[in-house]
């Protein structure tokens, strides 16, 4: 359970961030939304890999697309789906994967050749 709790926390955070009605979203400088999407999905990917969830990266790519479609379709949210948001979500997934891979390689120590 200890490895899964960070991912569950990140997943719940993502639901709050992605599905808060527009009226509850604070105003921010242009581009802030894209940074938040990138970091959120990097966190999801990193914690999902840490939890060793099978096929987490492709599942997150699907979640990125579905979340944008749902934002568009759930009219009470008064939000709009954005293809660019889904693309930066995928960028975040790559960033989370790269960070996890880099940290894993550092823990193993330097590779020796014979």
């Amino acid at each position: 359970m200890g490895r899964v709790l960070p991912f569950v926390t990140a997943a719940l955070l993502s639901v709050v961030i992605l599905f808060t009605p527009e009226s509850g979203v604070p105003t921010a400088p242009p581009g802030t939304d894209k940074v938040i999407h990138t970091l959120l999905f990097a966190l999801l990917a990193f914690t999902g890999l840490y939890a060793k969830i099978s096929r987490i990266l492709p599942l997150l790519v699907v979640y990125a697309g579905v979340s944008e479609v749902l934002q568009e379709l759930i009219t009470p949210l008064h939000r709009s789906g954005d293809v660019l948001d889904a693309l930066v979500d995928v960028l975040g997934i790559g960033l989370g994967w790269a960070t996890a891979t880099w940290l894993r390689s550092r823990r193993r120590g330097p590779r020796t050749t014979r």
Side-chain angles (χ1 to χ4, degrees):
M1 180 64 174
R3 284 183 164 265
V4 176
L5 187 58
F7 177 75
V8 170
T9 303
L12 290 173
L13 178 65
S14 79
V15 169
V16 170
I17 289 172
L18 297 174
F19 299 104
T20 294
E22 183 184 43
S23 60
V25 177
T27 57
T32 302
D33 175 54
K34 304 306 181 237
V35 172
I36 291 170
H37 273 264
T38 303
L39 294 176
L40 178 62
F41 276 81
L43 179 66
L44 286 167
F46 181 83
T47 57
L49 289 168
Y50 176 75
K52 299 183 179 189
I53 298 172
S54 177
R55 297 191 172 115
I56 189 61
L57 299 180
L59 288 172
L60 288 174
V61 170
V62 170
Y63 178 50
V66 168
S67 68
E68 292 304 318
V69 170
L70 289 175
Q71 285 179 16
E72 184 71 36
L73 294 178
I74 302 173
T75 53
L77 293 178
H78 298 286
R79 295 188 58 170
S80 59
D82 185 354
V83 172
L84 190 53
D85 280 351
L87 291 174
V88 296
D89 292 346
V90 173
L91 174 68
I93 294 166
L95 180 63
W97 169 81
T99 303
T101 301
W102 178 74
L103 287 173
R104 199 174 311 123
S105 71
R106 287 193 48 128
R107 264 190 251 128
R108 288 188 195 135
R111 293 172 61 158
T112 58
T113 57
R114 293 185 177 197

